[in-house]
Amino acid sequence: MAHSARRDSPELPDFSLLKRLARDQLIYLLEQLPGKKDLFIEADLMSPLDRIANVSTLKQHEVDKLYKVEYKPVISTSDQLCFLIRPRIQTVKWICDVVNADKAAGKFRRYKLIFTPQKFYACEAVLEEQGIFGDVTTDEWAFYLLPLDDDIISLELPEFFRDNFLAGDQRWVRTAGSTLHLLHSIYGPFSKIYGIGRCSKMAYESWREQVEEGETKARQAEIGNVFLIDRDVDFVTPLCSQVVYEGLVDDIFRIKCGCVEFGPDVTSSDKSMKVMLNSQDKVFNEIRNEHFSNVFGFLSQKARNLQTAYDKRRGMDIKQMKTFVSEELKGLKQEHRLLSLHIGASESIMKKKTKQDFQELLKTEHSLLEGFEIRECISFIEEHINRQVSMIESLRLLCLLSITENGLLPKDYRSLKAQYLQSYGVDHLLTFANLRQLGLLVEQQPGETLTVMESKVGKLVNDKTAGKLTDAFSSLAKKSNFRALSKKLNLVPKSDEEYDLRVPRDMAYIFSGAYIPLSCKLIEQVLERDGWTGLEEVTRLLNGHEFAHSDRAKNDAQRIVLVMFLGGCTFSEISALRFLGRERGYKFIVVTTAITNSSRLIEALLDNHV
Amino acid sequence: MMKSKPDEEDYWNSSKFKAFTFDDEDDEFSRLKESKQAVNSIRRLVEEDDDEDDVEKVSWSGEPVGSISWSVRETAASNQRTDREPAFPKINADTPTVSRSHSGYSLSSLFKGETALSDSSVRLYAPELRKPKSEYKDYVSDWSPEETVHRMQQGKAVSLEKFRSLQDKLLLLDFSISAHDGNVITAVTLFTITFTVLFRELESRQTALRHFIHYLTETRDQRLLLELLRALGRTEDIALLQYKEHLSIADENKRRDFLKSCLSLPFSPEDSAHVQDHYTLLERQIIIEATDRQAERGGKVEIFQKFPRRASILNMPLITTLYYCCFYHYTESEGTYSSPLNVRQTFRISEKQFFVTALAARAKLKAWVDVDALFTSRNWLGFTRKKSPLGFHRVVDILQKNSAPTQVLQEYVGLVDDAELRISLAQKHKCHDIIINTYRDLKDRQQLLGYRGKVERGSVEERKINELLDNPQIRWKN
């Protein structure tokens, strides 16, 4: 809560500029289609759009009616239709249907497709195939970055994860490069860039190319260092249950585009309520990074203070009362409302977590991280499956088991998979195929047992296995080598030591002191060493693809570090970085393709539906 | 998961984790409750003119008035209200004729460098805002493969026409792969691989292959995709891909027949068994559903009257089906399709799994006699004793979730082996006898004294505690 930041902590750049840029570009594009028009917006673009513009902005530029893209026939009577969409084939196909239906009905309209953040050739190929290439005009809206908070910027591209890591489609590499380019041209020049992961490396190269294509203007740098990291470098962290307040709220209520919907059980009324969660919310700002166990104490203290402040008005005379009302009351009321919301949320979290044996669940996760009593963990997971407790949760635990153990024994794999299919449906055969392809849930290969033993005792893993691809089809899957990495980087603090969650001593506090997130530990190490020197063993266990490039002399913004997660990052990781920043005098800016958590990660890989 | 007792204690007693418990109604939680009361007590004062200060720009209805999401909903609502007129669009006299694409079929014509690509693509960057790309006026000229790829990355016009020989095409493909831009890789792959004879060229270019497969998956070009996978000999992928089609078949009989046809697909032996189970299960569900629907409509079978079915059993997972059978068809002989025992045997359901499901179903019906019978086994002396493949604390949990009465719970709480766990469960479910007996067995006088303060004055429990405390035969340890 009251962590005092280091004095020399620098200020964060102002990212509201990004919103303004995006808005101006959108207006420009709308003006390209003069006259009244109806606007169709892709469903998941609505919230991001709401953050940068509102209806009156659109109306000012002759947008008549707004619709959500729902893949149904359109009922608009306007003679100009504008579509604001992601470059997705399904959406383009629907637009083709719309246009072709109009043609068949002899209806004549003008159509404009605005792809954001960019268009793909594949989409145009569909337009051509459906015979409407030329009947429509296309444009790109380079809306790459949405600032969600002072230190969080999102690309709002959740599909990045599946496209890149599961399908092996590199369509977003250029997007990532352009994103960096945009940040570089506004807040750069960067002085150093580090990274790890295949996609990170490609994104870096794409950015370099784009820098060379355009001219760079000399300016005062506002961002010093950049760190790029692929999500598949660390799957363990996003698969763990979150216990830091903001992460918990995301796990339970799902924060969408920086906004959460609290149901009647939280608001203690009959209405649901949408609330923005960011640093503007003073109460939230103080508890967001706290371990949940500290939140109660803080809220109680706040409630008492508030009571005292209100009580002041007893015994006031008219004049004092007037001052009170005009100066303090509004602030108090605001605080009061926020406080009761977060108390309601905490209560609701407690209730939900108590109901589902959260304690035992955490214990299992911690055992898996420690590599301790694996048999018991397996039978816990098995019972979870047998009782048909949450389909996602069971899968998450299976994946966590597989990555921490470098795969399951064939006998366990078969038995758990069979039981899973019995409990949640045979359709999940497809899900299991996906998880295997990604390397998230695999059988140990015969002959690897020795390697597992070796890595358990912390010995070197030989080259043969470290980067080895299991077979041609799952060439994107990697071995996790988690145990060895954990030893090497001390990710699991010794369990016999005390851990005071009120005064965290390292980033492990975000997991109750049980585990330091691998992703954040890597960032810490590389920043400390100013590169990968001394981490050779670690990068080998991570299957390589690390890089570090010095661009120019150090600038004044050395302590402002931009971390870009390709494939998503969790609120827990953001909390851990904020902690690291406070300890070491850095300010971190997190850029992510989307905010993720264990459920979103697993859901992206499900294939039991059409 | 059960750790051995000392471990478990170590684990939870170590201060590392003690700071935080979700289970107990500990001080933190009650403190939270207090603060909630405090906050609520001042609510009245605050609510007088609540509307003016919002937490954020967001209003009570959820969406801010004037927000885009709000407006979209309004449009949708108004469209439902107003009668839809037959839409005769006003055609403006000044509408320019829209140029049509000359070809609709070959992918290659897309890249013929028509102005369509460049005239409308406006790519904007922060430093050069509002500078449409069309200003560049790039026209087709003789670009090398490398330059072509580079221009494609920038969204500039190119011509792929000149890459006609296989060698040229593959050269172009390889340049696009080394540029790492998936967008361009897909485009070039689509251009290059126009003939299925070229599929083999993709085998040595895994990156391009993945892009092509993803493209075919997204456009749902099942036919071409299967052809490609066949050419590559990826049999398991073919099997899964075809199996996936069952998801889009709504009619249950057609789906069953389709699943039957899947049985011959080249799955791995393990998956093959799963698909067989899938087919058998659906086949049975169809039979059970037909019979039960009739029984329910007939109104003569009591259980269906008392507990009307909420949903059809079709396409439910196996365990849900087993639960259903334990619920509605518990006593049926093994000969029927809907008998739980028959289901168990057909699908090789483990003892534990069967037990858990039957327990939950019978507890839901409050059939405590059935529940009791599930645990009873006779040993060789003929005594009955309770046995469970599941830890008794889990049993208690299942029973409690199905709102079992305290007398029933008490019986199973008493069977929990671990004394600590037994006490905490007993406290949670208010089974005084068990707590008192456990403290007696532990000879823990202090705890018993403490517990006396928690039971009601003058109650049976208090009397029992007093008797024990006065009993001179017990050797207390403290």
Side-chain angles (χ1 to χ4, degrees):
Chain A
M1 265 151 263
H3 303 289
S4 51
R6 278 172 52 151
R7 285 246 182 80
D8 56 350
S9 255
E11 287 296 304
L12 286 166
D14 173 19
F15 293 116
S16 61
L17 180 61
L18 294 170
K19 291 189 186 181
R20 229 164 50 226
L21 265 175
R23 188 172 47 233
D24 288 354
Q25 288 177 8
L26 178 63
I27 290 169
Y28 171 77
L29 289 170
L30 289 174
E31 282 172 353
Q32 300 291 297
L33 188 67
K36 269 198 183 295
K37 58 222 159 222
D38 281 359
L39 184 64
F40 289 78
I41 306 167
E42 187 107 57
D44 49 357
L45 271 176
M46 296 208 322
S47 298
L49 192 56
D50 254 333
R51 301 286 173 270
I52 60 155
N54 53 32
V55 178
S56 59
T57 327
L58 299 178
K59 297 265 169 187
Q60 272 163 27
H61 299 89
E62 297 183 277
V63 169
D64 193 16
K65 284 187 180 127
L66 290 164
Y67 298 90
K68 183 161 87 176
V69 169
E70 286 177 306
Y71 307 109
K72 290 193 293 211
V74 306
I75 43 173
S76 158
T77 52
S78 174
D79 56 359
Q80 297 202 93
L81 304 185
C82 189
F83 299 89
L84 195 55
I85 54 172
R86 289 283 185 216
R88 290 178 193 141
I89 283 173
Q90 197 199 1
T91 314
V92 175
K93 274 193 163 173
W94 167 73
I95 295 171
C96 292
D97 291 345
V98 170
V99 177
N100 281 325
D102 283 355
K103 274 192 196 173
K107 216 182 277 181
F108 188 86
R109 310 197 224 229
R110 290 226 260 164
Y111 312 92
K112 185 181 193 66
L113 277 57
I114 302 175
F115 292 99
T116 186
Q118 65 174 113
K119 74 179 163 195
F120 290 138
Y121 288 109
C123 295
E124 291 180 314
V126 171
L127 290 176
E128 189 189 356
E129 234 175 56
Q130 302 286 318
I132 66 155
F133 194 89
D135 294 342
V136 301
T137 54
T138 58
D139 250 318
E140 284 180 329
W141 177 30
F143 178 30
Y144 290 107
L145 292 167
L146 176 69
L148 293 179
D149 206 342
D150 300 340
D151 59 351
I152 310 174
I153 308 175
S154 169
L155 276 75
E156 293 294 307
L157 282 176
E159 65 250 60
F160 185 104
F161 175 68
R162 186 174 163 127
D163 287 344
N164 190 75
F165 295 105
L166 184 65
D169 190 319
Q170 300 163 7
R171 58 172 61 159
W172 301 112
V173 167
R174 173 100 182 169
T175 318
S178 305
T179 301
L180 270 180
H181 184 45
L182 179 61
L183 288 165
H184 181 255
S185 49
I186 303 177
Y187 305 103
F190 310 144
S191 65
K192 251 198 154 165
I193 298 216
Y194 317 97
I196 184 159
R198 253 181 105 237
C199 188
S200 292
K201 207 167 183 177
M202 294 190 291
Y204 166 77
E205 279 158 15
S206 168
W207 165 66
R208 288 286 343 158
E209 261 170 46
Q210 295 181 52
V211 170
E212 279 154 29
E213 281 159 18
E215 73 265 50
T216 23
K217 296 180 195 108
R219 73 178 79 229
Q220 185 73 28
E222 290 179 87
I223 294 174
N225 296 324
V226 175
F227 193 103
L228 303 177
I229 182 168
D230 281 17
R231 185 68 275 172
D232 70 350
V233 167
D234 175 15
F235 276 137
V236 173
T237 305
L239 284 174
C240 292
S241 295
Q242 305 194 68
V243 284
V244 166
Y245 186 68
E246 190 166 14
L248 252 178
V249 170
D250 188 36
D251 273 0
I252 291 179
F253 304 102
R254 297 220 171 201
I255 301 174
K256 199 179 134 202
C257 215
C259 181
V260 74
E261 183 163 0
F262 285 134
D265 59 324
V266 173
T267 57
S268 1
S269 67
D270 50 353
K271 281 190 202 126
S272 289
M273 186 178 175
K274 285 196 177 174
V275 186
M276 297 293 294
L277 291 181
N278 54 37
S279 55
Q280 302 297 306
D281 176 338
K282 295 288 173 253
V283 175
F284 177 69
N285 198 38
E286 286 191 77
I287 53 176
R288 66 196 306 187
N289 301 311
E290 287 301 310
H291 190 274
F292 193 57
S293 59
N294 293 348
V295 170
F296 303 113
F298 175 80
L299 291 177
S300 311
Q301 184 59 45
K302 270 268 178 206
R304 273 198 298 276
N305 294 350
L306 192 64
Q307 183 83 62
T308 320
Y310 271 117
D311 286 348
K312 269 203 316 201
R313 89 208 127 86
R314 291 204 188 110
M316 280 183 185
D317 59 29
I318 300 272
K319 200 175 157 215
Q320 285 168 321
M321 191 63 119
K322 233 175 161 177
T323 338
F324 175 78
V325 169
S326 64
E327 283 171 11
E328 281 178 64
L329 191 59
K330 196 174 162 82
L332 289 178
K333 278 163 66 177
Q334 166 89 350
E335 195 177 331
H336 172 265
R337 176 177 299 170
L338 293 172
L339 202 52
S340 50
L341 262 180
H342 291 293
I343 289 176
S346 303
E347 235 182 0
S348 174
I349 290 171
M350 278 293 281
K351 274 190 203 138
K352 291 203 175 87
K353 290 303 187 189
T354 319
K355 223 201 267 171
Q356 59 160 60
D357 277 334
F358 195 49
Q359 201 72 275
E360 233 177 317
L361 189 77
L362 288 181
K363 202 163 88 178
T364 302
E365 282 178 26
H366 294 173
S367 299
L368 288 174
L369 292 166
E370 249 182 289
F372 178 64
E373 301 195 322
I374 298 303
R375 276 290 125 203
E376 282 78 356
C377 293
I378 292 178
S379 57
F380 176 83
I381 299 172
E382 200 171 54
E383 258 173 40
H384 224 261
I385 295 171
N386 289 163
R387 294 175 63 186
Q388 292 182 300
V389 192
S390 148
M391 176 243 282
I392 300 284
E393 196 100 290
S394 298
L395 215 45
R396 170 174 82 84
L397 290 171
L398 284 174
C399 292
L400 203 53
L401 171 68
S402 174
I403 326 175
T404 50
E405 287 290 293
N406 241 346
L408 277 64
L409 294 173
K411 151 177 97 55
D412 290 333
Y413 180 82
R414 300 232 164 99
S415 142
L416 289 166
K417 177 175 169 183
Q419 295 184 64
Y420 191 92
L421 298 178
Q422 290 187 340
S423 274
Y424 306 106
V426 183
D427 311 337
H428 281 290
L429 270 183
L430 300 152
T431 306
F432 275 83
N434 286 344
L435 293 171
R436 189 183 56 189
Q437 185 165 332
L438 198 59
L440 265 184
L441 181 50
V442 294
E443 264 178 86
Q444 277 172 15
Q445 298 301 313
E448 280 182 7
T449 344
L450 188 67
T451 319
V452 176
M453 285 286 288
E454 279 176 346
S455 59
K456 266 189 183 149
V457 291
K459 274 196 195 154
L460 302 184
V461 175
N462 53 27
D463 280 307
K464 201 167 77 247
T465 44
K468 199 181 78 179
L469 309 170
T470 38
D471 57 68
F473 301 150
S474 54
S475 57
L476 291 175
K478 308 184 307 181
K479 289 193 56 185
S480 75
N481 300 317
F482 178 75
R483 256 337 140 233
L485 281 164
S486 165
K487 272 251 151 63
K488 206 91 214 147
L489 291 168
N490 282 323
L491 299 182
V492 177
K494 291 203 180 59
S495 50
D496 49 355
E497 285 171 25
E498 263 184 45
Y499 202 102
D500 185 354
L501 291 168
R502 276 156 227 271
V503 194
R505 62 161 181 263
D506 56 24
M507 293 186 281
Y509 93 91
I510 66 158
F511 292 120
S512 312
Y515 162 64
I516 299 175
L518 170 59
S519 51
C520 304
K521 184 75 182 182
L522 285 173
I523 295 165
E524 176 208 275
Q525 288 295 307
V526 169
L527 288 177
E528 200 167 89
R529 294 156 192 265
D530 193 15
W532 294 96
T533 328
L535 294 170
E536 292 79 7
E537 185 58 29
V538 170
T539 56
R540 207 152 53 95
L541 289 166
L542 288 169
N543 305 290
H545 296 297
E546 79 281 7
F547 58 91
H549 296 282
S550 245
D551 230 38
R552 57 192 69 231
K554 293 200 167 170
N555 59 31
D556 299 340
Q558 278 312 302
R559 295 188 164 277
I560 306 269
V561 184
L562 185 147
V563 179
M564 183 167 181
F565 285 87
L566 296 160
C569 85
T570 64
F571 280 119
S572 292
E573 284 168 315
I574 297 176
S575 290
L577 288 177
R578 286 184 184 134
F579 173 84
L580 186 64
R582 282 193 302 269
E583 292 282 296
R584 308 280 162 91
Y586 293 118
K587 269 274 161 64
F588 285 100
I589 299 152
V590 173
V591 177
T592 178
T593 50
I595 296 287
T596 194
N597 62 22
S598 57
S599 309
R600 291 191 195 102
L601 195 109
I602 298 285
E603 277 161 12
L605 301 169
L606 293 182
D607 241 338
N608 63 327
H609 46 77
V610 183
Chain B
M1 190 190 61
M2 283 156 288
K3 289 190 175 188
S4 59
K5 197 181 138 199
D7 278 337
E8 177 147 46
E9 279 164 11
D10 279 356
Y11 190 89
W12 292 114
N13 291 338
S14 69
S15 47
K16 180 176 162 193
F17 299 102
K18 206 176 179 180
F20 179 46
T21 53
F22 275 102
D23 274 348
D24 316 325
E25 296 207 16
D26 63 357
D27 292 347
E28 296 281 24
F29 197 23
S30 40
R31 241 160 79 201
L32 187 66
K33 277 191 178 145
E34 276 165 33
S35 35
K36 187 170 174 159
Q37 275 161 10
V39 169
N40 284 344
S41 70
I42 39 185
R43 176 163 284 169
R44 247 178 309 123
L45 172 73
V46 177
E47 272 172 359
E48 284 151 21
D49 52 349
D50 224 6
D51 289 355
E52 46 161 332
D53 59 331
D54 283 347
V55 174
E56 255 299 324
K57 306 179 278 193
V58 188
S59 80
W60 286 105
S61 66
E63 294 294 340
V65 176
S67 83
I68 286 152
S69 330
W70 172 79
S71 175
V72 167
R73 250 200 302 287
E74 288 292 294
T75 319
S78 73
N79 276 327
Q80 280 167 0
R81 268 178 260 124
T82 55
D83 294 334
R84 257 181 275 158
E85 298 166 35
F88 284 108
K90 295 165 280 175
I91 296 173
N92 287 342
D94 59 350
T95 310
T97 27
V98 179
S99 69
R100 275 162 201 276
S101 167
H102 304 299
S103 89
Y105 302 102
S106 97
L107 290 165
S108 59
S109 64
L110 167 58
F111 306 114
K112 276 184 183 154
E114 284 179 293
T115 45
L117 255 184
S118 55
D119 68 359
S120 57
S121 60
V122 185
R123 193 188 190 86
L124 296 164
Y125 270 122
E128 39 172 318
L129 187 66
R130 309 198 167 196
K131 190 174 170 193
K133 190 163 293 128
S134 48
E135 279 174 26
Y136 290 118
K137 292 272 182 257
D138 289 311
Y139 281 115
V140 185
S141 45
D142 212 15
W143 306 107
S144 72
E146 198 176 359
E147 285 164 328
T148 305
V149 166
H150 195 64
R151 290 178 62 82
M152 285 179 81
Q153 280 186 279
Q154 296 170 303
K156 291 180 184 169
V158 293
S159 162
L160 300 186
E161 243 183 349
K162 70 183 201 87
F163 301 98
R164 300 191 72 168
S165 74
L166 177 61
Q167 207 186 356
D168 283 350
K169 282 180 192 229
L170 294 179
L171 199 61
L172 185 68
L173 185 57
D174 289 339
F175 270 114
S176 76
I177 293 170
S178 58
H180 303 316
D181 184 338
N183 179 28
V184 177
I185 296 173
T186 305
V188 175
T189 310
L190 292 182
F191 165 73
T192 320
I193 310 298
T194 38
F195 307 103
T196 47
V197 288
L198 294 180
F199 281 176
R200 68 190 148 79
E201 296 296 344
L202 284 179
E203 228 177 337
S204 54
R205 295 168 177 82
Q206 290 288 320
T207 305
L209 177 62
R210 278 195 295 267
H211 283 80
F212 193 42
I213 289 178
H214 195 212
Y215 175 79
L216 294 177
T217 310
E218 283 192 306
T219 53
R220 307 199 176 178
D221 193 338
Q222 186 89 341
R223 192 191 52 76
L224 194 55
L225 185 51
L226 284 171
E227 204 174 326
L228 173 66
L229 293 174
R230 258 183 229 116
L232 297 168
R234 289 167 60 165
T235 52
E236 249 192 274
D237 291 350
I238 295 173
L240 284 169
L241 186 64
Q242 284 186 275
Y243 167 74
K244 190 178 179 180
E245 267 185 81
H246 82 267
L247 291 168
S248 46
I249 305 175
D251 178 85
E252 66 267 17
N253 289 308
K254 283 190 188 138
R255 191 186 264 222
R256 178 199 55 206
D257 296 343
F258 181 83
L259 284 172
K260 192 173 184 187
S261 76
C262 285
L263 296 179
S264 56
L265 292 173
F267 288 106
S268 68
E270 184 200 348
D271 284 0
S272 198
H274 294 312
V275 175
Q276 171 75 55
D277 278 354
H278 194 174
Y279 164 68
T280 317
L281 179 64
L282 183 57
E283 194 184 28
R284 269 173 190 241
Q285 285 173 337
I286 291 173
I287 297 169
I288 297 173
E289 178 65 25
T291 321
D292 288 3
R293 195 187 299 144
Q294 214 171 8
E296 194 174 32
R297 285 213 188 116
K300 297 232 169 70
V301 186
E302 196 197 343
I303 182 112
F304 291 120
Q305 300 307 111
K306 256 170 98 180
F307 304 94
R309 302 183 313 150
R310 284 215 203 98
S312 126
I313 193 63
L314 294 172
N315 297 317
M316 292 295 162
L318 174 62
I319 299 308
T320 312
T321 312
L322 177 64
Y323 180 91
Y324 176 95
C325 291
C326 288
F327 197 91
Y328 289 109
H329 303 278
Y330 195 58
T331 51
E332 273 172 33
S333 70
E334 226 173 304
T336 66
Y337 276 139
S338 44
S339 137
L341 293 173
N342 189 318
V343 173
R344 173 183 177 177
Q345 196 161 29
T346 310
F347 296 99
R348 308 166 306 280
I349 294 171
S350 72
E351 190 204 348
K352 190 170 169 185
Q353 172 72 76
F354 182 82
F355 178 86
V356 170
T357 315
L359 178 65
R362 300 322 287 172
K364 182 87 191 169
L365 281 168
K366 314 219 176 301
W368 307 122
V369 181
D370 291 341
V371 167
D372 195 56
L374 275 169
F375 294 93
T376 310
S377 71
R378 266 167 219 285
N379 66 12
W380 57 279
L381 284 174
F383 295 121
T384 58
R385 58 193 193 95
K386 295 214 187 264
K387 249 178 60 182
S388 162
L390 192 69
F392 276 103
H393 65 291
R394 287 256 175 270
V395 171
V396 171
D397 187 39
I398 293 175
L399 293 175
Q400 183 257 329
K401 285 205 167 99
N402 287 294
S403 37
T406 313
Q407 310 93 277
V408 175
L409 280 181
Q410 181 154 318
E411 192 172 347
Y412 297 95
V413 172
L415 292 168
V416 173
D417 263 345
D418 182 294
E420 292 274 318
L421 193 56
R422 186 162 66 235
I423 287 179
S424 81
L425 278 172
Q427 278 171 342
K428 200 165 155 192
H429 303 301
K430 313 234 173 329
C431 310
H432 302 297
D433 267 359
I434 293 174
I435 298 168
I436 296 167
N437 291 343
T438 308
Y439 287 145
R440 178 198 62 202
D441 295 345
L442 293 171
K443 312 215 183 307
D444 196 333
R445 188 185 166 86
Q446 292 309 316
Q447 291 280 15
L448 202 53
L449 274 168
Y451 198 69
R452 187 169 59 176
K454 288 183 190 164
V455 297
E456 247 177 85
R457 277 281 167 92
S459 62
V460 192
E461 288 82 20
E462 195 192 39
R463 233 174 301 138
K464 187 172 171 184
I465 293 174
N466 285 333
E467 275 166 29
L468 283 172
L469 290 174
D470 294 339
N471 187 336
Q473 308 214 310
I474 302 175
R475 287 193 192 160
W476 299 105
K477 72 171 181 191
N478 51 22

